[in-house]
C-alpha cells in the first residue's frame, strides 16, 4: 500500500546529514514539526517549522526531560488512517496527522564509555525519543519511522524517488530497523544497571553483523557479530573465515600477556600456540618461534607485540600463513608481506576486550568472567628445597603465561623464553606431557635445563618423575592436590625445583 506523506516530526540528537532531507521535505510541501535544538536547526536553514509546543500548548518542561510526551503528538502517530473513529478523534481534538517520524536517541553507550558521571549517564537515558520510535514503528501501516542517522541517505533517496510516497514494504522494513535500535538501546541501559550481575539475566545485542563464507566447515553457515573494524585495521588480503577469527582471538589473548615484554612472536594453529619466543630482536623472536614447530606453522596465524620490520617480514614471507597481526608495520615490511595476495594483514588497535566470555551450552549459554589472572613472581610459593634460578624463574613465568592460553589438559615445556613444545587438549596430563616431550625431541630441542608448566595440579607424582627423567629442572603448577607432597618429595630427592601459584588455568 503506497502512502504519500504530508507531514513529518523531526527531533534528533545528531544533525549530520539531516539538511538534505529537510530541504526535500520543503520541496515536496511536507509540513515539518519539531522541537528544541532540531527546531532551531531547521529555522536556521530558512525553512518553516511548527514547534511541537504550539501543537500541544505545553512548553518543554523539567529541563527538557518532557517535550514530546503528549496525546497530541502520539495521537498523530498512532492513529489508524483506515479507522473512522480514530480520524474523528483527530478532528475533535485538533491533532495533526504525522506521516513520517525522524528521531534518534541520546548517545547512552558513548556516554558510559566516556567515564562520565552517573548523573550525566542517567540524563542520557532517552525517554521521549524511544517512545516516539516505538509508536511510529508500531504504526508502520501509516507511518515511516527513521531511527538512525545511518539511514538518512536511504530515506532521502526513497522520498525523492517516490515524490513523498512510500510503500507498506518500505515502512515495515524501517519499522524492523527501528525496533532493532530500540531493543539495542534498552539492552545497553539494562547492562549498565546490571554490570555487577545482581540479576542472573543475560542480554546481548550486537548490531554489527557480517555473513561469513561458512562456519567451521563448508556445510555450516557462519556469522560474526561485533565491531571488527574498531579492533583491527585490515591492510591486505582475503576475507577472514570463521576459523581465522577463532585463531585471531586466541592470538590476541595470548599476546596480551606479553604486551609490555621485549620483542615476542607467536604462531598459532587451531587456537593453540605452536611457536612462541621472546628475544632481543623481533627477527630472532620470529625465527625461534618458527623453530618450535615449523610443520604446524604452515597455514597458521602469526602475531607480534612490536612493529614488524623489513627483515622479519622477509622471513615471514617464506612461510605460507593465513594471517599476520602486529601493532604496526614498517612501510617496506608491509610491501614484502603483501607479496601474497590472499595473506591477511591486520593492525591491532587499542581496544578494551569484554570482561566476560559467552558460549552456547545445551539449550542455553554459559557465561563466566574472563581469566584475567596472570601468574607473576609475587604469586609463587617455593615448595621444594631447591629454589629456581633467576633464568628458570623467567622461563617459568613465560611458560605459565602460555599454559593459560592452551587447551586443557596441557603441559608446556620452555627453555630460554622459547616454547619447546606443548601437549594440548589431552584427556590425561601424562598424555599431554608425553606428547610435549615427543614433539620437542622430534624438533631436536635439548630439554636439559628446560622448565615445565601445567594448567592444573598433578594428581600423582608421575608427571614430575617423567619430566625429570627427560631433563626438566624446574616446575610450575597450581598445586592443590591431596597428593602434592608426593611430587614435592620426588623433587627434593632429585634436585628439581618446584613452585606453586594457587591458581588453576583450565581452558576448554
Amino acid at each position: 500500500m503506497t502512502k504519500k506523506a504530508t507531514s513529518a516530526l523531526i527531533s534528533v540528537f545528531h544533525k549530520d546529514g539531516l539538511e538534505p532531507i529537510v530541504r526535500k521535505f520543503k520541496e515536496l510541501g511536507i509540513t515539518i514539526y519539531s522541537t528544541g535544538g532540531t527546531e532551531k536547526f531547521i529555522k536556521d536553514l530558512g525553512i518553516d517549522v511548527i514547534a511541537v509546543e504550539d501543537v500541544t500548548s505545553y512548553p518543554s518542561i523539567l529541563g527538557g526531560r518532557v517535550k514530546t510526551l503528549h496525546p497530541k503528538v502520539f495521537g498523530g502517530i498512532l492513529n489508524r488512517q483506515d479507522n473512522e473513529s480514530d480520524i474523528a478523534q483527530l478532528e475533535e481534538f485538533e491533532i495533526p496527522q504525522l506521516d513520517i517520524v525522524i528521531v534518534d536517541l541520546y548517545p547512552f553507550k558513548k556516554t558510559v564509555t566516556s567515564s562520565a558521571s552517573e548523573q550525566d549517564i542517567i540524563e542520557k537515558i532517552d525517554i521521549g525519543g524511544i517512545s516516539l520510535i516505538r509508536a511510529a514503528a508500531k504504526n508502520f501501516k501509516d507511518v515511516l519511522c527513521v531511527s538512525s542517522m545511518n539511514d538518512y541517505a536511504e530515506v532521502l533517496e526513497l522520498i525523492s524517488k517516490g515524490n513523498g510516497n512510500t510503500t507498506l514494504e518500505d515502512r515495515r522494513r524501517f519499522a524492523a530497523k527501528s525496533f532493532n535500535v530500540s531493543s539495542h538501546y534498552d539492552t545497553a541501559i539494562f547492562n549498565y544497571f546490571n554490570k555487577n550481575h545482581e540479576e542472573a539475566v543475560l542480554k546481548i545485542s550486537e548490531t554489527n553483523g557480517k555473513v561469513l563464507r561458512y562456519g567451521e566447515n563448508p556445510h555450516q553457515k557462519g556469522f560474526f557479530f561485533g565491531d571488527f573494524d574498531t579492533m583491527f585495521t585490515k591492510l591486505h588480503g582475503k576475507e577472514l573465515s570463521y576459523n581465522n577469527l577463532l585463531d585471531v582471538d586466541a592470538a590476541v589473548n595470548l599476546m596480551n600477556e606479553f604486551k609490555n615484554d621485549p620483542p615476542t612472536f607467536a604462531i598459532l594453529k587451531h587456537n593453540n600456540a605452536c611457536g612462541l619466543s621472546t628475544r632481543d630482536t623481533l627477527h630472532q623472536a620470529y625465527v625461534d618461534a618458527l623453530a618450535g614447530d615449523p610443520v604446524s606453522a604452515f597455514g597458521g596465524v602469526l602475531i607480534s607485540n612490536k612493529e614488524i620490520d623489513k627483515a622479519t617480514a622477509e622471513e615471514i614471507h617464506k612461510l605460507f600463513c593465513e594471517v599476520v597481526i602486529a601493532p604496526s608495520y614498517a612501510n617496506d615490511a608491509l610491501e614484502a608481506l603483501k607479496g601474497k595476495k590472499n595473506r591477511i594483514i591486520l593492525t591491532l588497535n587499542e581496544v578494551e576486550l569484554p570482561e566476560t566470555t559467552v558460549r552456547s551450552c545445551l539449550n542455553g549459554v554459559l557465561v563466566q568472567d574472563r581469566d584475567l589472572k596472570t601468574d607473576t613472581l609475587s604469586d609463587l610459593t617455593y615448595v621444594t628445597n631447591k629454589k629456581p634460578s633467576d633464568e628458570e624463574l623467567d622461563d617459568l613465568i613465560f611458560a605459565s603465561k602460555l599454559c593459560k592460553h592452551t587447551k586443557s589438559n596441557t603441559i608446556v615445556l620452555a627453555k630460554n623464553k622459547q616454547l619447546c613444545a606443548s601437549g594440548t587438549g589431552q584427556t590425561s596430563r601424562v598424555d599431554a606431557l608425553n606428547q610435549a616431550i615427543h614433539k620437542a625431541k622430534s624438533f631436536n630441542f635439548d630439554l636439559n635445563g628446560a622448565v615445565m608448566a601445567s594448567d592444573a595440579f598433578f594428581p600423582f607424582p608421575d608427571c614430575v618423575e617423567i619430566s625429570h627423567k627427560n631433563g626438566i629442572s624446574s616446575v610450575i603448577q597450581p598445586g592443590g592436590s591431596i597428593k602434592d607432597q608426593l611430587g614435592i618429595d620426588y623433587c627434593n630427592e632429585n634436585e628439581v625445583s618446584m613452585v606453586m601459584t594457587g591458581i588453576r588455568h583450565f581452558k576448554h
Side-chain angles (χ1 to χ4, degrees):
M1 181 174 64
T2 300
K3 186 174 187 300
K4 186 173 181 62
T6 61
S7 61
L9 170 65
I10 308 176
S11 180
V12 297
F13 185 87
H14 301 98
K15 314 297 190 294
D16 298 343
L18 183 62
E19 180 179 346
I21 294 177
V22 174
R23 294 196 181 280
K24 178 56 68 173
F25 284 177
K26 178 185 178 183
E27 178 187 322
L28 294 171
I30 295 174
T31 302
I32 301 174
Y33 299 85
S34 191
T35 185
T38 309
E39 178 191 351
K40 181 179 183 303
F41 173 83
I42 296 171
K43 282 182 177 179
D44 289 345
L45 295 175
I47 296 173
D48 291 339
V49 56
I50 299 173
V52 168
E53 290 90 337
D54 292 342
V55 175
T56 63
S57 299
Y58 232 96
S60 171
I61 62 173
L62 306 181
R65 279 190 166 195
V66 180
K67 290 182 284 191
T68 57
L69 295 169
H70 194 281
K72 283 198 172 184
V73 175
F74 283 86
I77 296 171
L78 286 166
N79 71 88
R80 293 157 291 190
Q81 288 289 288
D82 59 357
N83 185 298
E84 292 182 5
S85 175
D86 284 8
I87 299 305
Q89 286 188 318
L90 289 188
E91 294 175 359
E92 178 184 356
F93 296 107
E94 299 180 335
I95 298 173
Q97 166 68 30
L98 295 172
D99 302 313
I100 300 175
V101 173
I102 301 179
V103 182
D104 66 1
L105 301 171
Y106 294 156
F108 179 80
K109 285 183 71 174
K110 185 177 181 181
T111 306
V112 171
T113 56
S114 71
S115 301
S117 68
E118 177 155 274
Q119 184 56 42
D120 287 339
I121 292 171
I122 297 304
E123 288 304 317
K124 287 298 184 291
I125 298 177
D126 206 311
I127 303 301
I130 201 80
S131 301
L132 290 169
I133 288 173
R134 290 179 64 84
K138 174 181 178 176
N139 200 27
F140 67 89
K141 186 176 179 181
D142 293 307
V143 181
L144 175 67
C145 183
V146 183
S147 56
S148 170
M149 62 183 295
N150 297 328
D151 294 325
Y152 286 176
E154 184 180 355
V155 169
L156 180 61
E157 182 181 5
L158 193 68
I159 295 297
S160 299
K161 284 185 176 180
N163 289 317
N165 288 284
T166 60
T167 66
L168 181 61
E169 181 183 352
D170 292 330
R171 298 192 295 275
R172 187 184 185 95
R173 180 164 52 85
F174 272 86
K177 288 172 176 276
S178 298
F179 283 120
N180 178 38
V181 167
S182 65
S183 64
H184 183 68
Y185 196 77
D186 284 338
T187 295
I189 295 170
F190 171 78
N191 286 336
Y192 170 75
F193 281 96
N194 197 45
K195 55 191 171 186
N196 295 322
H197 306 291
E198 292 93 346
E199 298 289 328
V201 175
L202 174 66
K203 292 187 185 294
I204 299 174
S205 179
E206 286 290 353
T207 56
N208 292 305
K210 183 177 179 59
V211 180
L212 305 175
R213 293 194 305 263
Y214 50 81
E216 244 176 324
N217 301 292
H219 63 277
Q220 295 170 269
K221 291 181 180 180
F223 305 86
F224 174 75
F225 295 96
D227 194 354
F228 184 86
D229 292 337
T230 295
M231 188 164 183
F232 297 98
T233 302
K234 185 182 175 190
L235 304 176
H236 183 73
K238 63 183 180 180
E239 291 298 312
L240 281 92
S241 69
Y242 184 100
N243 292 324
N244 287 154
L245 289 166
L246 286 175
D247 281 333
V248 168
D249 177 69
V252 169
N253 284 309
L254 171 60
M255 195 52 71
N256 277 342
E257 302 286 348
F258 300 90
K259 186 175 181 179
N260 300 316
D261 287 15
T264 300
F265 215 104
I267 304 172
L268 289 90
K269 195 74 171 288
H270 294 293
N271 311 156
N272 291 304
C274 57
L276 178 70
S277 176
T278 298
R279 293 292 180 260
D280 292 333
T281 68
L282 190 64
H283 176 268
Q284 194 59 51
Y286 168 71
V287 169
D288 288 349
L290 181 62
D293 186 347
V295 175
S296 295
F298 183 86
V301 169
L302 282 57
I303 187 167
S304 163
N305 69 343
K306 306 294 182 186
E307 178 176 280
I308 292 183
D309 54 35
K310 182 182 180 182
T312 307
E314 289 177 340
E315 199 69 39
I316 292 171
H317 190 59
K318 300 174 185 177
L319 174 73
F320 169 72
C321 58
E322 290 273 343
V323 185
V324 181
I325 310 166
S328 59
Y329 301 82
N331 290 334
D332 49 5
L334 187 57
E335 289 307 307
L337 291 172
K338 286 181 176 179
K340 298 284 178 66
K341 69 176 183 178
N342 287 329
R343 179 183 286 146
I344 299 164
I345 304 174
L346 303 175
T347 297
L348 177 61
N349 304 319
E350 287 285 342
V351 296
E352 189 171 322
L353 293 173
E355 294 183 357
T356 56
T357 63
V358 181
R359 65 191 296 180
S360 61
C361 180
L362 301 175
N363 61 344
V365 295
L366 285 171
V367 180
Q368 67 171 349
D369 294 337
R370 187 181 292 273
D371 185 356
L372 298 176
K373 174 62 180 174
T374 298
D375 297 329
T376 64
L377 293 176
S378 62
D379 298 315
L380 305 184
T381 299
Y382 299 86
V383 296
T384 53
N385 296 332
K386 183 179 180 181
K387 302 298 184 282
S389 66
D390 290 344
E391 291 77 13
E392 286 173 330
L393 283 171
D394 286 343
D395 281 344
L396 289 169
I397 296 299
F398 174 91
S400 177
K401 289 179 178 180
L402 175 53
C403 199
K404 169 183 166 182
H405 294 278
T406 307
K407 296 289 186 181
S408 300
N409 286 315
T410 185
I411 293 289
V412 170
L413 305 179
K415 185 177 181 180
N416 299 326
K417 292 186 178 180
Q418 179 185 20
L419 171 62
C420 300
S422 58
T424 62
Q426 299 301 304
T427 54
S428 157
R429 203 157 299 282
V430 172
D431 287 345
L433 174 57
N434 286 329
Q435 181 190 47
I437 292 170
H438 172 78
K439 191 171 183 179
K441 290 184 175 179
S442 70
F443 291 115
N444 299 315
F445 279 99
D446 179 7
L447 293 179
N448 288 301
V451 304
M452 173 175 69
S454 175
D455 59 336
F457 66 63
F458 297 113
F460 303 99
D462 44 10
C463 284
V464 176
E465 181 177 353
I466 294 169
S467 64
H468 165 248
K469 291 180 177 178
N470 283 275
I472 302 300
S473 62
S474 193
V475 178
I476 185 170
Q477 59 134 325
S481 168
I482 60 174
K483 296 186 177 180
D484 275 349
Q485 191 59 47
L486 294 178
I488 295 170
D489 291 343
Y490 181 90
C491 288
N492 286 334
E493 292 166 5
N494 293 276
E495 291 294 303
V496 175
S497 60
M498 179 187 288
V499 296
M500 293 183 180
T501 64
I503 300 294
R504 189 180 74 185
H505 291 294
F506 269 165
K507 185 171 186 281
H508 296 105

